[in-house]
Amino acid sequence: MRIAIIGAGTVGTTLGGRFAAAGHDVVYGVRAPDGADRRSFAEAVEGAAVVINALPFGAVEEVFTGLDVGTAVVVDAANPLTPMSGDEERARTESGAERLARWSGSTRLVKAFNTTGAENMADPAYPAGPAAMFVAADDAEAKTVVLGLAAEIGFDAVDAGPLAAARDLEHLACVWIRNAIVLGQGRTFAFAVHRR
Ligand SMILES: NC(=O)c1ccc[n+]([C@@H]2O[C@H](COP(=O)([O-])OP(=O)(O)OC[C@H]3O[C@@H](n4cnc5c(N)ncnc54)[C@H](OP(=O)(O)O)[C@@H]3O)[C@@H](O)[C@H]2O)c1
């Protein structure tokens, strides 16, 4: 499947590398195209089945407003808040993912790949089992596609409900960030779901 990743930073290249290794056709949308797999934003999304937003939240509105994502599944991996940003109050009423749905005009918006660090995207395997990846969306088919992609790269893919649940997932990301960075646990831990 053709996957366009908007933003070729840590998350973008980590997910892109995993999806390419799994056999997908990955292109990046960047500010400085290289004529190879790093293209302009418009060129990257052309013909893509899935478009993954891996930009800092502050850049998302400008890049996605007017970008023609067509009928692609749009996956939001960005986090609009950090424990210190002061943006928490706004995110309680409208998540970054819901804002991206407005800015991009996409009705196939999916929140995923935001609740854990890039190290876990590179390798979700832990001795007790795979790290969980929570996936929230209103469009059932789009959600199925992203649950499949998360499972393909080794996550325990978990349906987290409708797109409005992105508000929860963006706060869950803060739990991970706070533990990893502020509380000093480090980046090699992940959330998991145990079942019986
Ligand atoms: N790092 C993690 O472990 C992690 C985990 C989960 C979610 N996230 C979220 O994922 C997103 C990306 O994080 P990251 O760590 O991958 O960031 P990053 O390494 O800093 O990469 C960000 C990318 O966005 C591009 N960019 C920055 N400002 C831009 C602008 N104004 N217009 C266009 N492109 C711009 C940069 O391109 P240039 O090369 O042109 O500067 C860079 O390729 C963030 O929203 C973050 O909260 C991060």
Side-chain angles (χ1 to χ4, degrees), residues 76-106:
D76 185 30
N79 281 310
L81 37 89
T82 69
M84 282 76 71
S85 74
D87 196 34
E88 290 89 342
E89 196 55 46
R90 198 155 51 120
R92 286 198 179 94
T93 53
E94 189 182 38
S95 63
E98 290 165 291
R99 282 176 262 177
L100 175 54
R102 277 198 286 112
W103 296 330
S104 66
S106 174

PDB file of all heavy atoms in Angstrom, residues 76-106:
ATOM      1  N   ASP A  76      -3.263  10.487  12.501  1.00  0.00           N
ATOM      2  CA  ASP A  76      -2.634  11.565  13.269  1.00  0.00           C
ATOM      3  C   ASP A  76      -1.793  10.991  14.399  1.00  0.00           C
ATOM      4  O   ASP A  76      -2.308  10.490  15.398  1.00  0.00           O
ATOM      5  CB  ASP A  76      -3.716  12.481  13.850  1.00  0.00           C
ATOM      6  CG  ASP A  76      -3.109  13.678  14.560  1.00  0.00           C
ATOM      7  OD1 ASP A  76      -2.007  14.106  14.156  1.00  0.00           O
ATOM      8  OD2 ASP A  76      -3.733  14.191  15.510  1.00  0.00           O
ATOM      9  N   ALA A  77      -0.464  11.098  14.237  1.00  0.00           N
ATOM     10  CA  ALA A  77       0.465  10.628  15.279  1.00  0.00           C
ATOM     11  C   ALA A  77       0.950  11.775  16.156  1.00  0.00           C
ATOM     12  O   ALA A  77       1.713  11.555  17.099  1.00  0.00           O
ATOM     13  CB  ALA A  77       1.662   9.939  14.622  1.00  0.00           C
ATOM     14  N   ALA A  78       0.500  12.998  15.848  1.00  0.00           N
ATOM     15  CA  ALA A  78       1.023  14.174  16.557  1.00  0.00           C
ATOM     16  C   ALA A  78       0.373  14.327  17.925  1.00  0.00           C
ATOM     17  O   ALA A  78      -0.759  13.903  18.146  1.00  0.00           O
ATOM     18  CB  ALA A  78       0.774  15.419  15.721  1.00  0.00           C
ATOM     19  N   ASN A  79       1.095  14.964  18.804  1.00  0.00           N
ATOM     20  CA  ASN A  79       0.543  15.287  20.119  1.00  0.00           C
ATOM     21  C   ASN A  79       0.540  16.793  20.314  1.00  0.00           C
ATOM     22  O   ASN A  79       1.592  17.425  20.255  1.00  0.00           O
ATOM     23  CB  ASN A  79       1.347  14.605  21.232  1.00  0.00           C
ATOM     24  CG  ASN A  79       0.948  13.143  21.354  1.00  0.00           C
ATOM     25  OD1 ASN A  79      -0.236  12.834  21.431  1.00  0.00           O
ATOM     26  ND2 ASN A  79       1.924  12.261  21.341  1.00  0.00           N
ATOM     27  N   PRO A  80      -0.652  17.365  20.548  1.00  0.00           N
ATOM     28  CA  PRO A  80      -0.748  18.811  20.671  1.00  0.00           C
ATOM     29  C   PRO A  80      -0.350  19.310  22.041  1.00  0.00           C
ATOM     30  O   PRO A  80      -0.409  20.505  22.295  1.00  0.00           O
ATOM     31  CB  PRO A  80      -2.231  19.075  20.428  1.00  0.00           C
ATOM     32  CG  PRO A  80      -2.896  17.852  20.926  1.00  0.00           C
ATOM     33  CD  PRO A  80      -1.954  16.712  20.627  1.00  0.00           C
ATOM     34  N   LEU A  81       0.024  18.409  22.918  1.00  0.00           N
ATOM     35  CA  LEU A  81       0.299  18.868  24.273  1.00  0.00           C
ATOM     36  C   LEU A  81       1.491  18.131  24.852  1.00  0.00           C
ATOM     37  O   LEU A  81       1.798  17.000  24.508  1.00  0.00           O
ATOM     38  CB  LEU A  81      -0.922  18.642  25.163  1.00  0.00           C
ATOM     39  CG  LEU A  81      -1.739  17.378  24.913  1.00  0.00           C
ATOM     40  CD1 LEU A  81      -1.193  16.233  25.729  1.00  0.00           C
ATOM     41  CD2 LEU A  81      -3.187  17.641  25.230  1.00  0.00           C
ATOM     42  N   THR A  82       2.153  18.849  25.692  1.00  0.00           N
ATOM     43  CA  THR A  82       3.197  18.250  26.500  1.00  0.00           C
ATOM     44  C   THR A  82       2.815  18.559  27.944  1.00  0.00           C
ATOM     45  O   THR A  82       1.969  19.423  28.181  1.00  0.00           O
ATOM     46  CB  THR A  82       4.572  18.860  26.201  1.00  0.00           C
ATOM     47  OG1 THR A  82       4.560  20.202  26.682  1.00  0.00           O
ATOM     48  CG2 THR A  82       4.892  18.837  24.731  1.00  0.00           C
ATOM     49  N   PRO A  83       3.387  17.881  28.885  1.00  0.00           N
ATOM     50  CA  PRO A  83       3.025  18.170  30.271  1.00  0.00           C
ATOM     51  C   PRO A  83       3.232  19.640  30.632  1.00  0.00           C
ATOM     52  O   PRO A  83       2.622  20.143  31.554  1.00  0.00           O
ATOM     53  CB  PRO A  83       3.974  17.273  31.076  1.00  0.00           C
ATOM     54  CG  PRO A  83       4.263  16.146  30.162  1.00  0.00           C
ATOM     55  CD  PRO A  83       4.302  16.746  28.783  1.00  0.00           C
ATOM     56  N   MET A  84       4.069  20.329  29.870  1.00  0.00           N
ATOM     57  CA  MET A  84       4.388  21.716  30.247  1.00  0.00           C
ATOM     58  C   MET A  84       3.794  22.751  29.304  1.00  0.00           C
ATOM     59  O   MET A  84       4.032  23.931  29.456  1.00  0.00           O
ATOM     60  CB  MET A  84       5.911  21.900  30.274  1.00  0.00           C
ATOM     61  CG  MET A  84       6.591  21.334  31.503  1.00  0.00           C
ATOM     62  SD  MET A  84       6.735  19.541  31.452  1.00  0.00           S
ATOM     63  CE  MET A  84       7.967  19.321  30.182  1.00  0.00           C
ATOM     64  N   SER A  85       3.003  22.349  28.319  1.00  0.00           N
ATOM     65  CA  SER A  85       2.644  23.291  27.247  1.00  0.00           C
ATOM     66  C   SER A  85       1.531  24.260  27.589  1.00  0.00           C
ATOM     67  O   SER A  85       1.370  25.278  26.926  1.00  0.00           O
ATOM     68  CB  SER A  85       2.233  22.517  26.001  1.00  0.00           C
ATOM     69  OG  SER A  85       0.952  21.957  26.210  1.00  0.00           O
ATOM     70  N   GLY A  86       0.702  23.919  28.571  1.00  0.00           N
ATOM     71  CA  GLY A  86      -0.421  24.794  28.880  1.00  0.00           C
ATOM     72  C   GLY A  86      -1.583  24.604  27.929  1.00  0.00           C
ATOM     73  O   GLY A  86      -2.558  25.337  27.978  1.00  0.00           O
ATOM     74  N   ASP A  87      -1.500  23.607  27.026  1.00  0.00           N
ATOM     75  CA  ASP A  87      -2.550  23.386  26.028  1.00  0.00           C
ATOM     76  C   ASP A  87      -3.577  22.355  26.499  1.00  0.00           C
ATOM     77  O   ASP A  87      -4.509  22.017  25.784  1.00  0.00           O
ATOM     78  CB  ASP A  87      -1.931  22.900  24.716  1.00  0.00           C
ATOM     79  CG  ASP A  87      -2.890  23.018  23.538  1.00  0.00           C
ATOM     80  OD1 ASP A  87      -3.694  23.969  23.527  1.00  0.00           O
ATOM     81  OD2 ASP A  87      -2.843  22.154  22.661  1.00  0.00           O
ATOM     82  N   GLU A  88      -3.423  21.845  27.714  1.00  0.00           N
ATOM     83  CA  GLU A  88      -4.257  20.744  28.178  1.00  0.00           C
ATOM     84  C   GLU A  88      -5.740  21.097  28.187  1.00  0.00           C
ATOM     85  O   GLU A  88      -6.583  20.285  27.844  1.00  0.00           O
ATOM     86  CB  GLU A  88      -3.853  20.282  29.581  1.00  0.00           C
ATOM     87  CG  GLU A  88      -2.501  19.575  29.628  1.00  0.00           C
ATOM     88  CD  GLU A  88      -1.350  20.541  29.832  1.00  0.00           C
ATOM     89  OE1 GLU A  88      -1.545  21.762  29.602  1.00  0.00           O
ATOM     90  OE2 GLU A  88      -0.259  20.086  30.196  1.00  0.00           O
ATOM     91  N   GLU A  89      -6.076  22.304  28.580  1.00  0.00           N
ATOM     92  CA  GLU A  89      -7.486  22.672  28.717  1.00  0.00           C
ATOM     93  C   GLU A  89      -8.207  22.607  27.376  1.00  0.00           C
ATOM     94  O   GLU A  89      -9.291  22.059  27.267  1.00  0.00           O
ATOM     95  CB  GLU A  89      -7.595  24.082  29.320  1.00  0.00           C
ATOM     96  CG  GLU A  89      -8.972  24.403  29.859  1.00  0.00           C
ATOM     97  CD  GLU A  89      -9.444  23.372  30.885  1.00  0.00           C
ATOM     98  OE1 GLU A  89      -8.683  22.992  31.789  1.00  0.00           O
ATOM     99  OE2 GLU A  89     -10.590  22.925  30.738  1.00  0.00           O
ATOM    100  N   ARG A  90      -7.573  23.115  26.352  1.00  0.00           N
ATOM    101  CA  ARG A  90      -8.171  23.110  25.028  1.00  0.00           C
ATOM    102  C   ARG A  90      -8.377  21.668  24.537  1.00  0.00           C
ATOM    103  O   ARG A  90      -9.396  21.341  23.946  1.00  0.00           O
ATOM    104  CB  ARG A  90      -7.274  23.872  24.054  1.00  0.00           C
ATOM    105  CG  ARG A  90      -7.974  24.298  22.803  1.00  0.00           C
ATOM    106  CD  ARG A  90      -7.305  25.510  22.176  1.00  0.00           C
ATOM    107  NE  ARG A  90      -5.875  25.313  22.005  1.00  0.00           N
ATOM    108  CZ  ARG A  90      -5.273  25.365  20.824  1.00  0.00           C
ATOM    109  NH1 ARG A  90      -5.961  25.588  19.746  1.00  0.00           N
ATOM    110  NH2 ARG A  90      -3.977  25.222  20.732  1.00  0.00           N
ATOM    111  N   ALA A  91      -7.424  20.808  24.834  1.00  0.00           N
ATOM    112  CA  ALA A  91      -7.501  19.445  24.335  1.00  0.00           C
ATOM    113  C   ALA A  91      -8.613  18.639  25.003  1.00  0.00           C
ATOM    114  O   ALA A  91      -8.973  17.579  24.542  1.00  0.00           O
ATOM    115  CB  ALA A  91      -6.169  18.735  24.525  1.00  0.00           C
ATOM    116  N   ARG A  92      -9.160  19.131  26.085  1.00  0.00           N
ATOM    117  CA  ARG A  92     -10.270  18.413  26.712  1.00  0.00           C
ATOM    118  C   ARG A  92     -11.541  18.539  25.883  1.00  0.00           C
ATOM    119  O   ARG A  92     -12.439  17.734  25.977  1.00  0.00           O
ATOM    120  CB  ARG A  92     -10.529  18.948  28.123  1.00  0.00           C
ATOM    121  CG  ARG A  92      -9.473  18.503  29.109  1.00  0.00           C
ATOM    122  CD  ARG A  92      -9.928  18.647  30.546  1.00  0.00           C
ATOM    123  NE  ARG A  92      -8.866  18.180  31.411  1.00  0.00           N
ATOM    124  CZ  ARG A  92      -7.936  18.974  31.945  1.00  0.00           C
ATOM    125  NH1 ARG A  92      -7.973  20.263  31.746  1.00  0.00           N
ATOM    126  NH2 ARG A  92      -6.985  18.479  32.689  1.00  0.00           N
ATOM    127  N   THR A  93     -11.649  19.592  25.091  1.00  0.00           N
ATOM    128  CA  THR A  93     -12.866  19.785  24.319  1.00  0.00           C
ATOM    129  C   THR A  93     -12.688  19.463  22.844  1.00  0.00           C
ATOM    130  O   THR A  93     -13.637  19.119  22.165  1.00  0.00           O
ATOM    131  CB  THR A  93     -13.376  21.237  24.453  1.00  0.00           C
ATOM    132  OG1 THR A  93     -12.301  22.107  24.115  1.00  0.00           O
ATOM    133  CG2 THR A  93     -13.853  21.513  25.860  1.00  0.00           C
ATOM    134  N   GLU A  94     -11.495  19.567  22.326  1.00  0.00           N
ATOM    135  CA  GLU A  94     -11.251  19.178  20.937  1.00  0.00           C
ATOM    136  C   GLU A  94      -9.806  18.701  20.814  1.00  0.00           C
ATOM    137  O   GLU A  94      -8.876  19.479  21.057  1.00  0.00           O
ATOM    138  CB  GLU A  94     -11.508  20.339  19.970  1.00  0.00           C
ATOM    139  CG  GLU A  94     -11.472  19.881  18.527  1.00  0.00           C
ATOM    140  CD  GLU A  94     -11.676  21.033  17.538  1.00  0.00           C
ATOM    141  OE1 GLU A  94     -11.159  22.142  17.784  1.00  0.00           O
ATOM    142  OE2 GLU A  94     -12.338  20.798  16.517  1.00  0.00           O
ATOM    143  N   SER A  95      -9.659  17.450  20.455  1.00  0.00           N
ATOM    144  CA  SER A  95      -8.311  16.892  20.341  1.00  0.00           C
ATOM    145  C   SER A  95      -7.594  17.472  19.127  1.00  0.00           C
ATOM    146  O   SER A  95      -8.219  18.027  18.208  1.00  0.00           O
ATOM    147  CB  SER A  95      -8.405  15.376  20.178  1.00  0.00           C
ATOM    148  OG  SER A  95      -9.079  15.074  18.965  1.00  0.00           O
ATOM    149  N   GLY A  96      -6.292  17.276  19.095  1.00  0.00           N
ATOM    150  CA  GLY A  96      -5.526  17.644  17.912  1.00  0.00           C
ATOM    151  C   GLY A  96      -6.024  16.888  16.690  1.00  0.00           C
ATOM    152  O   GLY A  96      -6.075  17.431  15.582  1.00  0.00           O
ATOM    153  N   ALA A  97      -6.407  15.631  16.878  1.00  0.00           N
ATOM    154  CA  ALA A  97      -6.883  14.822  15.756  1.00  0.00           C
ATOM    155  C   ALA A  97      -8.182  15.382  15.179  1.00  0.00           C
ATOM    156  O   ALA A  97      -8.376  15.403  13.962  1.00  0.00           O
ATOM    157  CB  ALA A  97      -7.089  13.380  16.216  1.00  0.00           C
ATOM    158  N   GLU A  98      -9.065  15.826  16.066  1.00  0.00           N
ATOM    159  CA  GLU A  98     -10.327  16.408  15.567  1.00  0.00           C
ATOM    160  C   GLU A  98     -10.056  17.726  14.847  1.00  0.00           C
ATOM    161  O   GLU A  98     -10.712  18.054  13.858  1.00  0.00           O
ATOM    162  CB  GLU A  98     -11.297  16.608  16.741  1.00  0.00           C
ATOM    163  CG  GLU A  98     -11.810  15.283  17.299  1.00  0.00           C
ATOM    164  CD  GLU A  98     -12.457  15.446  18.670  1.00  0.00           C
ATOM    165  OE1 GLU A  98     -11.730  15.733  19.651  1.00  0.00           O
ATOM    166  OE2 GLU A  98     -13.685  15.336  18.749  1.00  0.00           O
ATOM    167  N   ARG A  99      -9.064  18.466  15.340  1.00  0.00           N
ATOM    168  CA  ARG A  99      -8.692  19.701  14.644  1.00  0.00           C
ATOM    169  C   ARG A  99      -8.094  19.370  13.276  1.00  0.00           C
ATOM    170  O   ARG A  99      -8.395  20.028  12.278  1.00  0.00           O
ATOM    171  CB  ARG A  99      -7.716  20.516  15.505  1.00  0.00           C
ATOM    172  CG  ARG A  99      -8.433  21.271  16.624  1.00  0.00           C
ATOM    173  CD  ARG A  99      -7.475  22.001  17.525  1.00  0.00           C
ATOM    174  NE  ARG A  99      -7.209  21.238  18.732  1.00  0.00           N
ATOM    175  CZ  ARG A  99      -6.354  21.604  19.677  1.00  0.00           C
ATOM    176  NH1 ARG A  99      -5.667  22.710  19.556  1.00  0.00           N
ATOM    177  NH2 ARG A  99      -6.197  20.853  20.753  1.00  0.00           N
ATOM    178  N   LEU A 100      -7.280  18.314  13.224  1.00  0.00           N
ATOM    179  CA  LEU A 100      -6.708  17.911  11.936  1.00  0.00           C
ATOM    180  C   LEU A 100      -7.813  17.487  10.968  1.00  0.00           C
ATOM    181  O   LEU A 100      -7.732  17.752   9.765  1.00  0.00           O
ATOM    182  CB  LEU A 100      -5.693  16.777  12.132  1.00  0.00           C
ATOM    183  CG  LEU A 100      -5.097  16.174  10.854  1.00  0.00           C
ATOM    184  CD1 LEU A 100      -4.485  17.240   9.947  1.00  0.00           C
ATOM    185  CD2 LEU A 100      -4.054  15.122  11.200  1.00  0.00           C
ATOM    186  N   ALA A 101      -8.867  16.843  11.476  1.00  0.00           N
ATOM    187  CA  ALA A 101      -9.991  16.459  10.610  1.00  0.00           C
ATOM    188  C   ALA A 101     -10.599  17.720   9.978  1.00  0.00           C
ATOM    189  O   ALA A 101     -10.917  17.730   8.781  1.00  0.00           O
ATOM    190  CB  ALA A 101     -11.035  15.693  11.412  1.00  0.00           C
ATOM    191  N   ARG A 102     -10.739  18.760  10.777  1.00  0.00           N
ATOM    192  CA  ARG A 102     -11.290  20.023  10.234  1.00  0.00           C
ATOM    193  C   ARG A 102     -10.343  20.633   9.218  1.00  0.00           C
ATOM    194  O   ARG A 102     -10.739  21.022   8.124  1.00  0.00           O
ATOM    195  CB  ARG A 102     -11.503  21.032  11.361  1.00  0.00           C
ATOM    196  CG  ARG A 102     -12.797  20.858  12.112  1.00  0.00           C
ATOM    197  CD  ARG A 102     -13.157  22.111  12.905  1.00  0.00           C
ATOM    198  NE  ARG A 102     -12.345  22.304  14.105  1.00  0.00           N
ATOM    199  CZ  ARG A 102     -11.452  23.277  14.276  1.00  0.00           C
ATOM    200  NH1 ARG A 102     -11.226  24.155  13.318  1.00  0.00           N
ATOM    201  NH2 ARG A 102     -10.779  23.381  15.411  1.00  0.00           N
ATOM    202  N   TRP A 103      -9.058  20.717   9.576  1.00  0.00           N
ATOM    203  CA  TRP A 103      -8.098  21.400   8.707  1.00  0.00           C
ATOM    204  C   TRP A 103      -7.911  20.651   7.381  1.00  0.00           C
ATOM    205  O   TRP A 103      -7.760  21.276   6.334  1.00  0.00           O
ATOM    206  CB  TRP A 103      -6.749  21.537   9.411  1.00  0.00           C
ATOM    207  CG  TRP A 103      -6.804  22.403  10.636  1.00  0.00           C
ATOM    208  CD1 TRP A 103      -7.643  23.467  10.864  1.00  0.00           C
ATOM    209  CD2 TRP A 103      -6.001  22.269  11.818  1.00  0.00           C
ATOM    210  NE1 TRP A 103      -7.402  24.000  12.111  1.00  0.00           N
ATOM    211  CE2 TRP A 103      -6.400  23.306  12.722  1.00  0.00           C
ATOM    212  CE3 TRP A 103      -4.976  21.407  12.211  1.00  0.00           C
ATOM    213  CZ2 TRP A 103      -5.816  23.484  13.977  1.00  0.00           C
ATOM    214  CZ3 TRP A 103      -4.393  21.582  13.456  1.00  0.00           C
ATOM    215  CH2 TRP A 103      -4.809  22.606  14.329  1.00  0.00           C
ATOM    216  N   SER A 104      -7.896  19.327   7.434  1.00  0.00           N
ATOM    217  CA  SER A 104      -7.640  18.539   6.217  1.00  0.00           C
ATOM    218  C   SER A 104      -8.919  18.251   5.445  1.00  0.00           C
ATOM    219  O   SER A 104      -8.862  17.868   4.279  1.00  0.00           O
ATOM    220  CB  SER A 104      -6.986  17.204   6.593  1.00  0.00           C
ATOM    221  OG  SER A 104      -7.896  16.398   7.334  1.00  0.00           O
ATOM    222  N   GLY A 105     -10.068  18.397   6.113  1.00  0.00           N
ATOM    223  CA  GLY A 105     -11.339  18.056   5.473  1.00  0.00           C
ATOM    224  C   GLY A 105     -11.551  16.553   5.391  1.00  0.00           C
ATOM    225  O   GLY A 105     -12.497  16.086   4.747  1.00  0.00           O
ATOM    226  N   SER A 106     -10.705  15.782   6.045  1.00  0.00           N
ATOM    227  CA  SER A 106     -10.821  14.325   5.957  1.00  0.00           C
ATOM    228  C   SER A 106     -11.917  13.784   6.868  1.00  0.00           C
ATOM    229  O   SER A 106     -12.035  14.188   8.023  1.00  0.00           O
ATOM    230  CB  SER A 106      -9.494  13.665   6.358  1.00  0.00           C
ATOM    231  OG  SER A 106      -9.662  12.258   6.413  1.00  0.00           O
TER     232      SER A 106
END
